[in-house]
Amino acid sequence: MAHDISCGARRTLTALLLGCTALIASPALAQDAGTGTEASPYRLSPILINAEGQFDDDANSIVARELWVGGKVATSILDTPASVSVITEKEVRDRRATTLEEVLSYSSGIHTDYYGTDDRNEYFLVRGFEATTYRDGLTLGSMRSAREEPYAFERTEVIRGGNSTLFGTSDPGGTINFVTKQPRFERFGEVYGSVGSPRNAEYGFDAGDVLNAEGTLAYRLTAKVQDGERDYDHSRNDSRFLMGGLSWQPGTATTLSVVADYLKRENTPNSGGYPLDRKYDRSDFFGEPDFNYQNVERASITGLLEHDFDNGLNLRANLRYSDLKSDFGYVYLSDSPARVGTVVDRWYFGGDNTAEELIGNVILQYDRSFDRFDSSTVAGLEFRDASTSSAPFYGLYTPIDIANPVYSGAPGTLAAPYELRDNDYKTKSLFVQQNLSFDDRFIATVGLRHDWLDIRETLNGVQTSDDFSETSIRGALTYKVNSEISTYVSYVESVAPPGVGVEPERGEQYELGVKYQPLGTNALISASVYDLTKNNVTVAVVQPDGNITRELVGEQRVRGFDLEGKAELGGNVDVIASYSYMKSDVVRSGPIRGVDVEGNEFGNVPNHMASLWVNYTLPGDQTRGDMRFGLGARYVGSYFFAISNNTGKAESSVTLDAAFNYQVQENTNLALNISNLLDDQHVVGSGTADYYNPGRAVAVTLRHSW
C-alpha cells in the first residue's frame, strides 16, 4: 500500500523500476543498432526436447534458455506457458548464495527469510503461498527438514503457481526444482576456500573426469566442509557435505547415472528471539547456550536413466531413496507488549524426527511432425512410499532478566512429547500431457493427472487411515509473435498433500504472460499477471497454552503481477532485475483465535517487492587480471506479521549487497562478497518475540578451476 512506503523507499523503488525499464530497453536498442535480426522462418518442433541442462552453460552465464524439471515441461523457457525463473550456478557463485533463501532472494514474487534468526527451516513464499520443493523432478516430500546445500546443484528452477498435473500433490505457490550436479564426459574441476564474518570458514571442491579410454564412463565428486557461527552469541553453523556420481554412456542414445550424497548439519536453530519493547543488538542471546541444538543427517542415492529410441520416442526413468534423522531443542522468549519490568517468560521447544522415502517415475515422450503441426506427447507414472515419525515436546522454562541475562543451563527434566506421530504415505500417479504446435505460431498444451493417496497415521497409539483420489488438469495456449516474443494464457490446478481426516487444500490459477528473448543478445525478460486461489485452507495457530492447532481459514486469494529480466550486455555488464505486486485477501474464513480475518491480508506477504543486481567487468591488461564489480539492492514492502492483521507490520526495507572479483591469474580468482552492506537491522517477524533480518556478512573466497 502506498502509504506504507516512506519517501526514501519510494525513491529506491522508483530507481529499481527504472533499472527494469533500462533492462528491457537495452536489448531493443541493441537490436535496432543491428546486433540481431530475424534471419529466417523458425520451426517450433520439437516442442519438448531431451535435456538435462547441457544446452545451457550454467557455470558461465546468468541467463538460462532451457528448463529441465525432470522432463515434465517444455524445455524452451520461451515456449513454457508459465512464469519461470532459473538461478544458474554462475549467479549463485557471483552473489555467494549459501542458503536457498539467498538463492531465491533476487527472483520475482518470492519473499524469503521472514523469520530471521529462526534457522530450523528454509522460509520462503511464492506468490503468497508455500511452494513444494523437488530434486531432479522428484518431490523432496518428507526430506524438507534438511536445509538444502546449494553447492550440490547446477541450477535452481522456479515455476510460479501450483501445478499438480505435472508434479502431483503440491502447494499452490509454485515449484522449486534443484538440478543435481552430474558427471560430465570431460575433465573439469574447482577447489575453493572461504573465510568471513560472522566467523565462518568453508572449503570445497567439485571435480570430474572420464574413467576409461572408450569415453563411456565418467565420475564426479563434490564436497564441502563448513565451520561457522551466526549473528548471535553461543551460535553454531557447521555442515559436512559429500556427493559422488557415476555415469555410463555406452552410446549417444543411452545415459545411466547414479548419484549418492550425504549431508550433516550441526547448528543452533534459533536465537530465542528478541524482546518486543525496543531494538536489541543482534549479538544478544536470550535462549540457553546449553540447550540450543539442531542435528540433521541425511543420505540419498539416486538413479537416472535416459534412452532415445531414435524414432521420436524417448524414455526417462528416475529413482531415489533417502533416509533422514533430525533433532532439535531451544529456549525462546514469550514476551508481551503489556509486560512491565525487565523479566521475560521463556519456554523450551524441541523434537526428534525421522523420515525414509522411496520415490520414482517412468516417463515416455513421443515427438512427431506433420504437415502443418507438430505433436509432443508425454505420459508417465510415479510412485512414492514414505514413512515419518515425530516426537515434539515443549514446556515452561525459567524466565530471564533481559537487563542482566543469567543463564540457567539445560532443562533438568524434559516434558514428555505432547504427541507421538508416525505416518506412512503411499502414492501412485498417472499423468499425460499433450502439446500441439500449429503453423509455427500457436502451441496448445493440455495436461491431466490422477493421484491415488493412501495415508496411515498412528497418533499417541491410536491408528487411523484415509485414502484420497484426486484429479487435476492443466490447459494453456501459447502464441509465438515472432522468434523473439511469445505470449501465453494458462489455467492450472493444485492439490496440497492432505492429512488423515482433513480435506486436501485445492488451488487454481489463471495467468496471462509475455516473454521476450532478443536475438543477438543473451537476455530473457518476462512479465505475467495472475489470479491464484486456494480453498479448504487451514493455518497453524499457537494457542495461549503454547500448543499448536490447525484452524480452518476457508478460501484465500492472491492477485498480482511479476516482472523479471536477466541480461548479459556488451560482454561486460550483467543485469538481474525484478518487480512484483501482490494483493492477498482472505475471502472466506471462520474466526482465528476469536478474531474475524475475512478481508484481511495474509501474514508475511508484502504488496511490493523489487530487486536489482548489476555486475560490471573491467577487462584486464598486461599488468593485472579482470576485475568484476557487483552491486545489488533488494526492496521488500511493508507486510503484516499475522493473518489477524492486529499484531503489527514489518516496515518496508532496502538491503544492499556488494561483490568484487579479481582474476589473480588464469583460472584463479579472489572474491569479496558483502551481504547487507550497510548492516541494516529491522524486524522481519514477530510473535512472542521479535526476529531480525540477517546482519552484515563478509566473505573472502579464493577459487581455482581447471
Side-chain angles (χ1 to χ4, degrees):
M1 292 178 288
H3 63 271
D4 290 328
I5 305 176
S6 66
C7 293
R10 285 195 190 99
R11 287 193 294 270
T12 304
L13 177 58
T14 302
L16 291 172
L17 293 178
L18 289 174
C20 291
T21 305
L23 174 62
I24 296 172
S26 297
L29 292 173
Q31 187 171 339
D32 288 341
T35 57
T37 59
E38 186 175 339
S40 60
Y42 58 92
R43 183 72 170 168
L44 296 181
S45 177
I47 305 164
L48 292 173
I49 59 177
N50 305 321
E52 299 182 6
Q54 302 99 318
F55 294 89
D56 286 339
D57 190 4
D58 292 337
N60 297 294
S61 176
I62 64 168
V63 182
R65 296 172 180 266
E66 309 292 339
L67 196 67
W68 187 52
V69 198
K72 295 178 180 177
V73 298
T75 57
S76 167
I77 294 178
L78 195 65
D79 293 348
T80 302
S83 178
V84 170
S85 294
V86 176
I87 302 95
T88 66
E89 187 179 356
K90 181 181 187 299
E91 181 182 339
V92 170
R93 185 175 61 244
D94 287 349
R95 297 196 283 108
R96 195 181 175 272
T98 59
T99 67
L100 177 57
E101 291 151 319
E102 293 173 351
V103 169
L104 299 175
S105 62
Y106 278 83
S107 296
S108 178
I110 305 180
H111 186 205
T112 69
D113 217 357
Y114 44 84
Y115 284 135
T117 51
D118 186 338
D119 293 303
R120 290 172 298 158
N121 298 294
E122 293 162 323
Y123 299 103
F124 56 90
L125 297 175
V126 182
R127 291 184 170 176
F129 293 105
E130 291 185 352
T132 303
T133 55
Y134 296 79
R135 182 174 175 183
D136 302 321
L138 298 173
T139 181
L140 285 167
S142 56
M143 298 296 117
R144 282 290 298 271
S145 296
R147 295 172 69 97
E148 295 300 322
E149 174 51 66
Y151 195 57
F153 308 124
E154 294 180 358
R155 56 163 57 189
T156 300
E157 302 173 329
V158 181
I159 300 180
R160 297 176 186 86
N163 199 326
S164 290
T165 306
L166 294 173
F167 304 105
T169 53
S170 56
D171 294 303
T175 299
I176 311 292
N177 181 60
F178 307 106
V179 179
T180 303
K181 291 178 177 177
Q182 293 185 33
R184 306 201 305 256
F185 289 86
E186 60 180 344
R187 185 176 183 272
F188 67 95
E190 71 166 25
V191 59
Y192 80 93
S194 179
V195 294
S197 175
R199 187 190 68 80
N200 185 74
E202 63 181 68
Y203 315 93
F205 67 85
D206 177 29
D209 202 351
V210 178
L211 283 171
N212 60 351
E214 295 80 10
T216 60
L217 197 63
Y219 79 93
R220 187 168 191 165
L221 190 62
T222 307
K224 175 183 171 182
V225 176
Q226 179 175 346
D227 181 5
E229 296 177 353
R230 304 192 189 276
D231 289 331
Y232 53 90
D233 292 339
H234 310 291
S235 63
R236 186 180 184 187
N237 186 19
D238 302 343
S239 65
R240 307 288 184 270
F241 176 75
L242 178 64
M243 180 171 68
L246 194 65
S247 288
W248 178 53
Q249 196 174 70
T252 58
T254 304
T255 302
L256 173 64
S257 298
V258 177
V259 179
D261 60 273
Y262 173 77
L263 174 65
K264 184 175 184 179
R265 296 192 182 276
E266 296 174 317
N267 306 322
T268 48
N270 203 303
S271 69
Y274 299 88
L276 301 173
D277 53 347
R278 63 176 176 86
K279 183 182 290 185
Y280 287 77
D281 192 279
R282 282 192 179 91
S283 63
D284 292 340
F285 180 67
F286 300 108
E288 275 298 324
D290 295 334
F291 191 74
N292 197 31
Y293 65 91
Q294 182 179 34
N295 303 302
V296 177
E297 191 171 11
R298 186 183 72 183
S300 298
I301 184 167
T302 306
L304 304 103
L305 170 67
E306 181 171 353
H307 180 72
D308 187 350
F309 291 95
D310 200 28
N311 58 357
L313 184 65
N314 182 273
L315 167 71
R316 284 181 295 273
N318 308 289
L319 182 68
R320 184 177 67 231
Y321 171 79
S322 302
D323 182 81
L324 179 143
K325 297 180 179 64
S326 66
D327 59 69
F328 73 95
Y330 64 93
V331 171
Y332 63 94
L333 294 177
S334 183
D335 199 6
S336 166
R339 167 178 52 86
V340 177
T342 60
V343 176
V344 179
D345 290 336
R346 296 189 300 174
W347 292 71
Y348 65 82
F349 179 49
D352 298 317
N353 303 276
T354 67
E356 188 176 12
E357 183 170 278
L358 179 67
I359 183 171
N361 61 26
V362 177
I363 303 172
L364 283 171
Q365 174 185 320
Y366 182 62
D367 299 329
R368 188 172 180 183
S369 294
F370 298 90
D371 184 29
R372 293 189 58 187
F373 70 93
D374 303 323
S375 170
S376 184
T377 306
V378 175
L381 60 89
E382 293 189 351
F383 71 91
R384 176 177 177 237
D385 191 341
S387 60
T388 64
S389 70
S390 62
F393 57 84
Y394 74 99
L396 186 64
Y397 195 57
T398 58
I400 192 169
D401 187 343
I402 57 176
N404 182 29
V406 176
Y407 302 119
S408 305
T413 302
L414 295 174
Y418 60 85
E419 66 174 32
L420 295 173
R421 184 187 298 269
D422 295 302
N423 286 94
D424 292 304
Y425 307 88
K426 294 184 185 298
T427 304
K428 293 176 291 184
S429 311
L430 293 175
F431 63 90
V432 62
Q433 177 176 283
Q434 178 64 52
N435 286 320
L436 293 173
S437 168
F438 298 93
D439 294 329
D440 299 338
R441 281 292 186 270
F442 294 94
I443 305 174
T445 302
V446 178
L448 177 68
R449 181 180 180 118
H450 193 84
D451 295 276
W452 294 268
L453 301 94
D454 184 6
I455 305 175
R456 301 184 183 277
E457 178 181 272
T458 302
L459 179 61
N460 298 329
V462 179
Q463 295 184 357
T464 55
S465 63
D466 211 341
D467 58 82
F468 300 87
S469 181
E470 298 292 334
T471 300
S472 55
I473 62 174
R474 173 187 188 226
L477 180 64
T478 302
Y479 173 59
K480 300 278 288 189
V481 179
N482 53 41
S483 59
E484 299 177 300
I485 300 173
S486 69
T487 62
Y488 67 89
V489 59
S490 71
Y491 170 79
V492 295
E493 295 180 346
S494 66
V495 181
V500 173
V502 179
E503 276 293 308
E505 297 175 340
R506 296 180 174 87
E508 58 180 16
Q509 176 182 274
Y510 298 89
E511 180 172 301
L512 178 67
V514 59
K515 299 178 184 180
Y516 175 49
Q517 194 175 73
L519 292 174
T521 302
N522 192 21
L524 178 65
I525 301 163
S526 62
S528 61
V529 59
Y530 63 89
D531 186 326
L532 175 57
T533 303
K534 184 177 180 181
N535 291 286
N536 299 331
V537 182
T538 60
V539 296
V541 177
V542 181
Q543 301 298 337
D545 62 0
N547 205 354
I548 300 176
T549 62
R550 304 293 301 186
E551 297 192 16
L552 180 67
V553 171
E555 182 180 345
Q556 296 178 340
R557 181 175 63 198
V558 177
R559 294 174 174 175
F561 170 76
D562 288 320
L563 172 66
E564 182 172 293
K566 298 185 179 185
E568 296 176 343
L569 307 174
N572 61 348
V573 177
D574 298 341
V575 182
I576 302 170
S578 73
Y579 168 75
S580 62
Y581 169 77
M582 291 179 286
K583 181 62 175 73
S584 61
D585 181 34
V586 179
V587 178
R588 175 171 44 86
S589 174
I592 301 297
R593 292 189 64 179
V595 177
D596 184 10
V597 299
E598 284 193 6
N600 286 2
E601 295 188 36
F602 302 175
N604 303 312
V605 179
N607 295 133
H608 300 276
M609 293 191 299
S611 65
L612 177 66
W613 179 276
V614 179
N615 278 333
Y616 173 74
T617 301
L618 184 64
D621 53 30
Q622 294 181 349
T623 61
R624 62 167 175 80
D626 293 349
M627 292 191 295
R628 185 170 65 249
F629 303 86
L631 185 63
R634 293 172 279 138
Y635 170 78
V636 178
S638 179
Y639 57 89
F640 290 101
F641 292 130
I643 197 172
S644 59
N645 289 186
N646 63 0
T647 61
K649 298 184 71 173
E651 297 179 355
S652 58
S653 63
V654 176
T655 304
L656 300 181
D657 306 311
F660 172 74
N661 185 285
Y662 179 67
Q663 186 182 36
V664 178
Q665 59 184 32
E666 187 177 4
N667 299 327
T668 302
N669 292 273
L670 182 67
L672 171 67
N673 290 86
I674 307 175
S675 62
N676 194 356
L677 179 66
L678 303 181
D679 201 23
D680 171 66
Q681 181 176 340
H682 56 273
V683 177
V684 294
S686 184
T688 62
D690 283 343
Y691 292 89
Y692 303 139
N693 64 310
R696 180 192 293 124
V698 181
V700 178
T701 305
L702 182 64
R703 188 184 307 269
H704 176 71
S705 60
W706 62 89

CSV table of all heavy atoms in Angstrom, one decimal, residues 494-531:
chain,number,residue,atom,x,y,z
A,494,SER,N,-3.9,-27.2,-8.4
A,494,SER,CA,-3.0,-27.8,-7.5
A,494,SER,C,-3.8,-28.5,-6.3
A,494,SER,O,-4.9,-28.0,-6.0
A,494,SER,CB,-2.0,-26.8,-6.9
A,494,SER,OG,-2.7,-25.9,-6.1
A,495,VAL,N,-3.3,-29.6,-5.8
A,495,VAL,CA,-3.9,-30.3,-4.7
A,495,VAL,C,-2.7,-30.4,-3.7
A,495,VAL,O,-1.8,-31.1,-3.9
A,495,VAL,CB,-4.5,-31.6,-5.0
A,495,VAL,CG1,-5.1,-32.3,-3.8
A,495,VAL,CG2,-5.5,-31.5,-6.2
A,496,ALA,N,-2.8,-29.8,-2.5
A,496,ALA,CA,-1.8,-29.9,-1.5
A,496,ALA,C,-1.8,-31.2,-0.8
A,496,ALA,O,-2.9,-31.8,-0.7
A,496,ALA,CB,-1.9,-28.7,-0.5
A,497,PRO,N,-0.7,-31.7,-0.3
A,497,PRO,CA,-0.7,-33.0,0.4
A,497,PRO,C,-1.7,-33.0,1.6
A,497,PRO,O,-1.6,-32.1,2.4
A,497,PRO,CB,0.8,-33.1,0.9
A,497,PRO,CG,1.6,-32.3,-0.1
A,497,PRO,CD,0.6,-31.1,-0.4
A,498,PRO,N,-2.6,-33.9,1.6
A,498,PRO,CA,-3.6,-33.9,2.6
A,498,PRO,C,-3.1,-34.7,3.9
A,498,PRO,O,-2.1,-35.3,3.9
A,498,PRO,CB,-4.8,-34.7,2.0
A,498,PRO,CG,-4.1,-35.7,1.1
A,498,PRO,CD,-2.8,-35.0,0.6
A,499,GLY,N,-3.9,-34.6,5.0
A,499,GLY,CA,-3.7,-35.4,6.2
A,499,GLY,C,-4.9,-36.2,6.5
A,499,GLY,O,-6.0,-36.1,5.9
A,500,VAL,N,-4.8,-37.1,7.4
A,500,VAL,CA,-5.9,-38.0,7.8
A,500,VAL,C,-7.1,-37.2,8.3
A,500,VAL,O,-6.9,-36.3,9.2
A,500,VAL,CB,-5.5,-39.0,8.9
A,500,VAL,CG1,-6.7,-39.8,9.4
A,500,VAL,CG2,-4.4,-40.0,8.3
A,501,GLY,N,-8.3,-37.4,7.7
A,501,GLY,CA,-9.5,-36.7,8.1
A,501,GLY,C,-9.5,-35.2,7.8
A,501,GLY,O,-10.4,-34.5,8.2
A,502,VAL,N,-8.6,-34.8,6.9
A,502,VAL,CA,-8.6,-33.3,6.5
A,502,VAL,C,-8.7,-33.3,5.0
A,502,VAL,O,-8.0,-33.9,4.3
A,502,VAL,CB,-7.3,-32.7,7.0
A,502,VAL,CG1,-7.2,-31.2,6.5
A,502,VAL,CG2,-7.1,-32.8,8.5
A,503,GLU,N,-9.7,-32.4,4.5
A,503,GLU,CA,-9.8,-32.3,3.1
A,503,GLU,C,-8.6,-31.7,2.5
A,503,GLU,O,-8.0,-30.7,3.1
A,503,GLU,CB,-11.0,-31.4,2.8
A,503,GLU,CG,-12.4,-32.1,2.8
A,503,GLU,CD,-12.5,-33.1,1.7
A,503,GLU,OE1,-12.3,-32.7,0.5
A,503,GLU,OE2,-12.8,-34.2,1.9
A,504,PRO,N,-8.1,-32.1,1.3
A,504,PRO,CA,-6.9,-31.5,0.7
A,504,PRO,C,-7.2,-30.1,0.4
A,504,PRO,O,-8.3,-29.7,0.0
A,504,PRO,CB,-6.7,-32.4,-0.6
A,504,PRO,CG,-7.5,-33.6,-0.3
A,504,PRO,CD,-8.6,-33.3,0.6
A,505,GLU,N,-6.2,-29.2,0.5
A,505,GLU,CA,-6.2,-27.8,0.1
A,505,GLU,C,-6.1,-27.8,-1.4
A,505,GLU,O,-5.1,-28.3,-2.0
A,505,GLU,CB,-5.1,-27.0,0.8
A,505,GLU,CG,-5.3,-27.0,2.3
A,505,GLU,CD,-4.2,-26.2,3.0
A,505,GLU,OE1,-3.1,-26.1,2.3
A,505,GLU,OE2,-4.3,-25.8,4.1
A,506,ARG,N,-7.0,-27.2,-2.1
A,506,ARG,CA,-7.0,-27.1,-3.5
A,506,ARG,C,-6.8,-25.7,-4.0
A,506,ARG,O,-7.3,-24.8,-3.5
A,506,ARG,CB,-8.3,-27.7,-4.1
A,506,ARG,CG,-8.6,-29.2,-3.8
A,506,ARG,CD,-9.9,-29.6,-4.3
A,506,ARG,NE,-10.0,-31.1,-4.2
A,506,ARG,CZ,-10.5,-31.7,-3.1
A,506,ARG,NH1,-11.0,-30.9,-2.1
A,506,ARG,NH2,-10.6,-33.0,-3.0
A,507,GLY,N,-6.0,-25.6,-5.1
A,507,GLY,CA,-5.7,-24.3,-5.6
A,507,GLY,C,-6.0,-24.3,-7.1
A,507,GLY,O,-6.0,-25.3,-7.8
A,508,GLU,N,-6.2,-23.1,-7.7
A,508,GLU,CA,-6.4,-22.9,-9.1
A,508,GLU,C,-5.8,-21.5,-9.5
A,508,GLU,O,-5.9,-20.6,-8.7
A,508,GLU,CB,-7.8,-23.1,-9.6
A,508,GLU,CG,-8.8,-22.1,-8.9
A,508,GLU,CD,-10.2,-22.4,-9.5
A,508,GLU,OE1,-10.5,-23.4,-10.1
A,508,GLU,OE2,-11.1,-21.5,-9.3
A,509,GLN,N,-5.2,-21.5,-10.6
A,509,GLN,CA,-4.6,-20.2,-11.0
A,509,GLN,C,-4.8,-19.9,-12.5
A,509,GLN,O,-4.7,-20.8,-13.4
A,509,GLN,CB,-3.0,-20.3,-10.8
A,509,GLN,CG,-2.3,-19.1,-11.4
A,509,GLN,CD,-0.8,-19.2,-11.2
A,509,GLN,OE1,-0.3,-18.9,-10.2
A,509,GLN,NE2,-0.1,-19.7,-12.3
A,510,TYR,N,-5.2,-18.7,-12.8
A,510,TYR,CA,-5.3,-18.1,-14.1
A,510,TYR,C,-4.1,-17.2,-14.3
A,510,TYR,O,-3.9,-16.3,-13.5
A,510,TYR,CB,-6.6,-17.4,-14.3
A,510,TYR,CG,-7.9,-18.3,-14.1
A,510,TYR,CD1,-8.5,-18.4,-12.9
A,510,TYR,CD2,-8.4,-18.9,-15.2
A,510,TYR,CE1,-9.6,-19.2,-12.7
A,510,TYR,CE2,-9.6,-19.7,-15.1
A,510,TYR,CZ,-10.1,-19.9,-13.8
A,510,TYR,OH,-11.2,-20.6,-13.7
A,511,GLU,N,-3.5,-17.3,-15.5
A,511,GLU,CA,-2.3,-16.5,-15.7
A,511,GLU,C,-2.2,-16.1,-17.2
A,511,GLU,O,-2.5,-16.8,-18.1
A,511,GLU,CB,-1.0,-17.3,-15.3
A,511,GLU,CG,0.3,-16.5,-15.5
A,511,GLU,CD,1.5,-17.2,-14.9
A,511,GLU,OE1,1.5,-17.5,-13.7
A,511,GLU,OE2,2.4,-17.6,-15.7
A,512,LEU,N,-1.8,-14.8,-17.4
A,512,LEU,CA,-1.5,-14.3,-18.7
A,512,LEU,C,-0.1,-13.7,-18.7
A,512,LEU,O,0.3,-12.9,-17.8
A,512,LEU,CB,-2.5,-13.2,-19.0
A,512,LEU,CG,-2.4,-12.5,-20.4
A,512,LEU,CD1,-2.7,-13.4,-21.5
A,512,LEU,CD2,-3.3,-11.3,-20.4
A,513,GLY,N,0.7,-14.1,-19.7
A,513,GLY,CA,2.1,-13.7,-19.6
A,513,GLY,C,2.7,-13.4,-21.0
A,513,GLY,O,2.2,-13.8,-22.0
A,514,VAL,N,3.9,-12.8,-21.0
A,514,VAL,CA,4.6,-12.5,-22.2
A,514,VAL,C,6.1,-12.6,-21.9
A,514,VAL,O,6.6,-12.3,-20.8
A,514,VAL,CB,4.3,-11.0,-22.7
A,514,VAL,CG1,4.7,-10.0,-21.7
A,514,VAL,CG2,5.1,-10.8,-24.1
A,515,LYS,N,6.9,-13.1,-22.9
A,515,LYS,CA,8.3,-13.3,-22.7
A,515,LYS,C,9.0,-12.8,-24.0
A,515,LYS,O,8.5,-12.9,-25.1
A,515,LYS,CB,8.7,-14.8,-22.6
A,515,LYS,CG,8.0,-15.4,-21.3
A,515,LYS,CD,8.3,-16.9,-21.2
A,515,LYS,CE,7.6,-17.5,-20.0
A,515,LYS,NZ,7.8,-19.0,-19.8
A,516,TYR,N,10.2,-12.2,-23.7
A,516,TYR,CA,11.0,-11.6,-24.7
A,516,TYR,C,12.4,-12.1,-24.7
A,516,TYR,O,13.1,-11.9,-23.6
A,516,TYR,CB,10.9,-10.1,-24.6
A,516,TYR,CG,11.8,-9.3,-25.6
A,516,TYR,CD1,11.8,-9.6,-26.9
A,516,TYR,CD2,12.6,-8.3,-25.1
A,516,TYR,CE1,12.6,-8.9,-27.8
A,516,TYR,CE2,13.4,-7.5,-26.0
A,516,TYR,CZ,13.4,-7.8,-27.3
A,516,TYR,OH,14.2,-7.1,-28.2
A,517,GLN,N,12.9,-12.7,-25.7
A,517,GLN,CA,14.3,-13.2,-25.8
A,517,GLN,C,14.9,-12.6,-27.1
A,517,GLN,O,14.8,-13.2,-28.1
A,517,GLN,CB,14.2,-14.7,-25.8
A,517,GLN,CG,15.5,-15.4,-25.6
A,517,GLN,CD,15.4,-16.9,-25.5
A,517,GLN,OE1,15.1,-17.6,-26.5
A,517,GLN,NE2,15.4,-17.5,-24.3
A,518,PRO,N,15.6,-11.5,-27.0
A,518,PRO,CA,16.0,-10.8,-28.2
A,518,PRO,C,17.2,-11.5,-28.9
A,518,PRO,O,18.1,-12.1,-28.2
A,518,PRO,CB,16.5,-9.4,-27.6
A,518,PRO,CG,16.8,-9.7,-26.2
A,518,PRO,CD,15.8,-10.7,-25.7
A,519,LEU,N,17.1,-11.5,-30.2
A,519,LEU,CA,18.2,-12.1,-31.0
A,519,LEU,C,19.4,-11.3,-30.9
A,519,LEU,O,19.3,-10.0,-30.8
A,519,LEU,CB,17.7,-12.2,-32.4
A,519,LEU,CG,16.6,-13.2,-32.8
A,519,LEU,CD1,16.2,-13.1,-34.2
A,519,LEU,CD2,17.1,-14.6,-32.5
A,520,GLY,N,20.6,-11.9,-30.8
A,520,GLY,CA,21.8,-11.2,-30.8
A,520,GLY,C,22.2,-10.7,-29.4
A,520,GLY,O,23.3,-10.1,-29.2
A,521,THR,N,21.4,-10.9,-28.4
A,521,THR,CA,21.7,-10.6,-27.0
A,521,THR,C,21.3,-11.7,-26.1
A,521,THR,O,20.2,-12.3,-26.3
A,521,THR,CB,20.9,-9.3,-26.6
A,521,THR,OG1,21.1,-8.2,-27.5
A,521,THR,CG2,21.2,-8.9,-25.2
A,522,ASN,N,22.2,-12.0,-25.2
A,522,ASN,CA,21.9,-13.1,-24.2
A,522,ASN,C,21.0,-12.5,-23.1
A,522,ASN,O,21.5,-12.0,-22.1
A,522,ASN,CB,23.2,-13.7,-23.7
A,522,ASN,CG,22.9,-15.0,-22.9
A,522,ASN,OD1,21.9,-15.6,-23.1
A,522,ASN,ND2,23.8,-15.4,-22.1
A,523,ALA,N,19.7,-12.6,-23.3
A,523,ALA,CA,18.8,-11.9,-22.4
A,523,ALA,C,17.4,-12.7,-22.4
A,523,ALA,O,17.1,-13.3,-23.4
A,523,ALA,CB,18.6,-10.5,-22.7
A,524,LEU,N,16.7,-12.6,-21.3
A,524,LEU,CA,15.4,-13.1,-21.2
A,524,LEU,C,14.6,-12.2,-20.3
A,524,LEU,O,15.0,-12.0,-19.1
A,524,LEU,CB,15.3,-14.5,-20.8
A,524,LEU,CG,13.9,-15.2,-20.6
A,524,LEU,CD1,13.2,-15.3,-21.9
A,524,LEU,CD2,14.0,-16.5,-19.9
A,525,ILE,N,13.5,-11.7,-20.8
A,525,ILE,CA,12.6,-10.8,-20.0
A,525,ILE,C,11.2,-11.4,-20.0
A,525,ILE,O,10.7,-11.8,-21.1
A,525,ILE,CB,12.6,-9.4,-20.5
A,525,ILE,CG1,14.0,-8.8,-20.5
A,525,ILE,CG2,11.7,-8.4,-19.7
A,525,ILE,CD1,14.2,-7.6,-21.4
A,526,SER,N,10.5,-11.4,-18.8
A,526,SER,CA,9.2,-12.0,-18.8
A,526,SER,C,8.3,-11.1,-17.9
A,526,SER,O,8.8,-10.5,-16.9
A,526,SER,CB,9.2,-13.4,-18.3
A,526,SER,OG,9.8,-13.5,-17.0
A,527,ALA,N,7.0,-11.1,-18.2
A,527,ALA,CA,6.0,-10.5,-17.3
A,527,ALA,C,4.8,-11.3,-17.3
A,527,ALA,O,4.4,-12.0,-18.3
A,527,ALA,CB,5.7,-9.1,-17.9
A,528,SER,N,4.1,-11.3,-16.2
A,528,SER,CA,2.9,-12.1,-16.1
A,528,SER,C,1.9,-11.5,-15.1
A,528,SER,O,2.4,-10.8,-14.1
A,528,SER,CB,3.2,-13.5,-15.6
A,528,SER,OG,3.8,-13.5,-14.4
A,529,VAL,N,0.6,-11.6,-15.3
A,529,VAL,CA,-0.4,-11.2,-14.3
A,529,VAL,C,-1.2,-12.5,-14.0
A,529,VAL,O,-1.4,-13.3,-14.9
A,529,VAL,CB,-1.3,-10.1,-14.9
A,529,VAL,CG1,-1.9,-10.5,-16.2
A,529,VAL,CG2,-2.3,-9.6,-13.9
A,530,TYR,N,-1.7,-12.6,-12.8
A,530,TYR,CA,-2.3,-13.9,-12.4
A,530,TYR,C,-3.3,-13.7,-11.3
A,530,TYR,O,-3.4,-12.6,-10.6
A,530,TYR,CB,-1.2,-14.8,-11.8
A,530,TYR,CG,-0.5,-14.3,-10.6
A,530,TYR,CD1,-1.0,-14.5,-9.3
A,530,TYR,CD2,0.6,-13.5,-10.7
A,530,TYR,CE1,-0.4,-14.0,-8.2
A,530,TYR,CE2,1.3,-13.0,-9.6
A,530,TYR,CZ,0.8,-13.3,-8.3
A,530,TYR,OH,1.4,-12.7,-7.2
A,531,ASP,N,-4.2,-14.7,-11.2
A,531,ASP,CA,-5.2,-14.7,-10.1
A,531,ASP,C,-5.1,-16.2,-9.5
A,531,ASP,O,-5.4,-17.1,-10.2
A,531,ASP,CB,-6.6,-14.5,-10.7
A,531,ASP,CG,-7.7,-14.4,-9.6
A,531,ASP,OD1,-7.6,-15.1,-8.6
A,531,ASP,OD2,-8.6,-13.6,-9.8
